Amino acid sequence: MNWKFCVAFLLVVIIIVPTFGEIGWCGNIWPLDEADITAGEDLEVYFQIWKEGVTDSSASAPGEDLSATLYYRVSGGLHWNTITMEYNVDVGNNDEYMGVIPSSGLSPRMSIEVYCEAYDSTDGTTCQGNDQEGNPATEDDPLVYQIISPTSMDVMVYFSVDMNGVDSLVEPVSVVGTFTGWDDSPVACEDTDSDGIYECSVLIPEGSPKHQEYKYIMGSTPYIWEEIANRSFQVNDTGDGEQYLPTDYWNNRTTRPISVVFRVDMSGQIVTDPYIAGNQPPLHWGWDDGWTEHDRIYDDGTHCDETAEDSIYTTIIEFPTGTYREVEYKFTTDGTDNEPLPPFQNHRFTLTQDEDTLWLPVVTFGVLEDKVKSVPLPQDIIIVDSSPNPFNDATEIKVVIYQQLKTPATLTVYNLDGKLIRKLSDELKEPGTYNFIWNGEDNQNNPVPSGTYIYRLKSGDYTLSGKMTLLK
């Protein structure tokens, strides 16, 4: 036997058959946690996987040796149903898979639990991730979907999108979505008062799915599409037949600079080189590409730090016009990626434009903000709505209770940071119709700024909430 030939052949095999590591990431499940799903329709669930050198090797085929499974069950059930997910499309360097839960298993007023799992047959490893907003989606902490009936009436939905800051604006600006067959019948929006905000309306007819998805487009065919995930909303068919959605931003990007104050409690930690890292410039992942003094956080009474040497480290960072509004970030005590957060999860917030400077709540190093999964009250027991919405001086929040509640319900108003603004009632229990006026003031009778607020009705484990917009 020619041993030189064998050795050479083995060397060639080693060179041309590379090995890759385990699955690097999975997640971006859609629909989001706590989504309302319309009964009578199949439910499509989407899931993405990334593995270096595998999912990014082809733009039209699934990564070799990877597969995905969709798990679902009635909430609180003992056994999971499984569906093999099919490769759908490449999304950047990720492979996207899709699985379909049949409508026969989705009945009104029930809820289901869902998670997805990626599998790599080369080493037997698996991965369970999160949804597109970072909510956990695992066997131990699954997503929860509420199954609801179709709309019971015609509802006119009003859209608005802020196009200020768009470099190359092309008219018409239109909205498309599940209610238009996407680009089959775009609905043109108009900027009637020349403020850069385009407005339009769409009639959602009775019998439609309450869950609707949409995007904005510019121009005529070929259209210029927003390069973001689909937006969504739930049709409110419990009011007067009109629904105003909060103003959107083209590609979900800011239209002016916004400063943000970050604060982290590092009590009990050994702190040598404290920095902040993140996904939106000027934040970056410094343990990968190097730190700068702009990334440092302080506990010396400077850089918006309120009290020196109290273990709460602070910095202020200005995000420029055009920043993607969904920001993820982490901290480090020593310059390494050492904040012990769950896999594939970071702190996160949305860049709002209500104020020039946004003060984020203090977070604890290594602890994600608690996300309490609320269970909506059955629609045959209670409904809540606010009108007018948006409003200037005051809005009326209407609560209708059809059956006596076991636990008295509280009605409160919060801002988007989760701060309690106003308690309107804490003793709703008996059947009847209740009307509450909120005049845009907090519990100390101080006027609050313009912006979007959340009303929340809570009774025991059940919660109903909605958004209302104050315009001054």
Side-chain angles (χ1 to χ4, degrees):
M1 178 180 289
N2 189 334
W3 290 102
K4 290 184 179 180
F5 172 77
C6 292
V7 170
F9 176 76
L10 288 174
L11 288 175
V12 171
V13 170
I14 293 173
I15 293 173
I16 66 173
V17 183
T19 59
F20 299 101
E22 61 186 15
I23 296 172
W25 172 89
C26 69
N28 270 4
I29 296 175
W30 184 267
L32 302 176
D33 189 27
E34 299 185 9
D36 288 342
I37 306 300
T38 303
E41 296 188 344
D42 291 343
L43 171 58
E44 296 180 351
V45 178
Y46 296 86
F47 175 53
Q48 293 181 16
I49 307 171
W50 174 75
K51 181 178 179 180
E52 185 176 7
V54 177
T55 60
D56 50 6
S57 63
S58 172
S60 59
E64 189 175 357
D65 300 317
L66 296 178
S67 59
T69 303
L70 169 63
Y71 293 82
Y72 76 98
R73 67 183 180 188
V74 175
S75 293
L78 298 178
H79 304 291
W80 292 96
N81 301 298
T82 61
I83 294 176
T84 300
M85 305 184 78
E86 301 294 333
Y87 170 77
N88 184 46
V89 69
D90 265 30
V91 180
N93 290 326
N94 305 335
D95 282 357
E96 182 176 82
Y97 287 76
M98 190 264 284
V100 179
I101 299 175
S103 61
S104 58
L106 305 175
S107 301
R109 300 174 189 163
M110 70 180 289
S111 65
I112 60 172
E113 298 173 333
V114 171
Y115 74 95
C116 299
E117 183 174 82
Y119 175 72
D120 185 349
S121 64
T122 62
D123 56 13
T125 57
T126 61
C127 175
Q128 298 172 15
N130 46 39
D131 70 10
Q132 292 185 10
E133 288 189 348
N135 302 308
T138 65
E139 182 177 5
D140 294 333
D141 193 4
L143 305 177
V144 177
Y145 299 151
Q146 308 297 328
I147 312 304
I148 61 175
S149 301
T151 56
S152 60
M153 61 185 295
D154 293 349
V155 178
M156 184 66 74
V157 179
Y158 295 87
F159 299 82
S160 59
V161 56
D162 192 332
M163 303 296 290
N164 290 294
V166 177
D167 292 333
S168 301
L169 178 63
V170 179
E171 292 187 326
V173 175
S174 305
V175 64
V176 296
T178 49
F179 43 83
T180 66
W182 289 103
D183 55 355
D184 288 344
S185 304
V187 176
C189 304
E190 296 183 354
D191 181 11
T192 56
D193 49 8
S194 301
D195 61 354
I197 299 177
Y198 287 72
E199 300 172 317
C200 50
S201 60
V202 175
L203 180 67
I204 308 295
E206 177 183 351
S208 298
K210 288 184 178 178
H211 179 81
Q212 299 284 346
E213 299 181 11
Y214 68 103
K215 280 185 176 182
Y216 296 97
I217 59 176
M218 291 193 296
S220 303
T221 52
Y223 300 112
I224 302 172
W225 290 75
E226 288 187 290
E227 298 175 345
I228 58 173
N230 294 346
R231 306 175 187 272
S232 66
F233 68 96
Q234 302 300 124
V235 180
N236 181 0
D237 60 352
T238 63
D240 58 2
E242 292 189 333
Q243 182 176 357
Y244 289 83
L245 301 183
T247 298
D248 294 312
Y249 298 83
W250 175 261
N251 270 332
N252 203 21
R253 295 185 177 273
T254 59
T255 61
R256 60 180 175 83
I258 302 172
S259 295
V260 179
V261 178
F262 296 86
R263 296 174 290 177
V264 57
D265 188 343
M266 290 187 169
S267 299
Q269 304 294 325
I270 298 175
V271 182
T272 56
D273 288 298
Y275 295 101
I276 183 173
N279 67 334
Q280 298 302 325
L283 292 180
H284 61 115
W285 305 110
W287 41 74
D288 291 332
D289 52 19
W291 299 107
T292 72
E293 285 304 304
H294 298 294
D295 308 320
R296 188 172 292 277
I297 53 180
Y298 301 85
D299 185 22
D300 60 359
T302 67
H303 298 79
C304 291
D305 181 51
E306 296 177 311
T307 305
E309 299 182 1
D310 63 350
S311 295
I312 297 179
Y313 286 76
T314 307
T315 190
I316 182 169
I317 294 176
E318 181 177 275
F319 292 88
T321 299
T323 299
Y324 184 67
R325 297 173 66 236
E326 306 304 325
V327 182
E328 298 186 24
Y329 64 102
K330 290 180 75 172
F331 297 99
T332 173
T333 59
D334 61 6
T336 66
D337 185 4
N338 73 334
E339 186 174 11
L341 297 179
F344 315 120
Q345 296 188 55
N346 303 306
H347 304 288
R348 55 177 56 220
F349 72 98
T350 300
L351 276 171
T352 61
Q353 299 191 186
D354 298 332
E355 300 177 358
D356 293 332
T357 301
L358 174 63
W359 286 71
L360 298 182
V362 178
V363 300
T364 301
F365 185 80
V367 178
L368 277 181
E369 299 72 21
D370 289 337
K371 181 181 184 299
V372 179
K373 293 187 177 181
S374 61
V375 181
L377 285 161
Q379 291 181 333
D380 58 348
I381 295 179
I382 194 167
I383 61 173
V384 184
D385 187 34
S386 66
S387 181
N389 187 11
F391 67 98
N392 297 115
D393 300 321
T395 186
E396 181 181 71
I397 302 175
K398 180 180 179 181
V399 179
V400 181
I401 300 176
Y402 293 108
Q403 300 178 23
Q404 181 165 323
L405 303 178
K406 294 181 179 179
T407 304
T410 58
L411 179 62
T412 48
V413 177
Y414 291 82
N415 64 17
L416 291 181
D417 293 327
K419 178 183 177 182
L420 175 64
I421 300 298
R422 184 91 179 195
K423 178 183 283 188
L424 298 176
S425 178
D426 58 3
E427 52 187 22
L428 296 175
K429 188 174 183 179
E430 300 298 325
T433 299
Y434 302 85
N435 296 290
F436 298 90
I437 302 298
W438 183 51
N439 59 0
E441 294 181 351
D442 62 17
N443 281 327
Q444 288 73 46
N445 297 321
N446 298 314
V448 298
S450 297
T452 299
Y453 294 84
I454 298 171
Y455 61 77
R456 185 179 75 166
L457 188 84
K458 188 175 189 301
S459 173
D461 293 332
Y462 295 109
T463 300
L464 274 176
S465 63
K467 292 182 179 180
M468 49 190 175
T469 302
L470 171 60
L471 302 175
K472 293 186 176 180

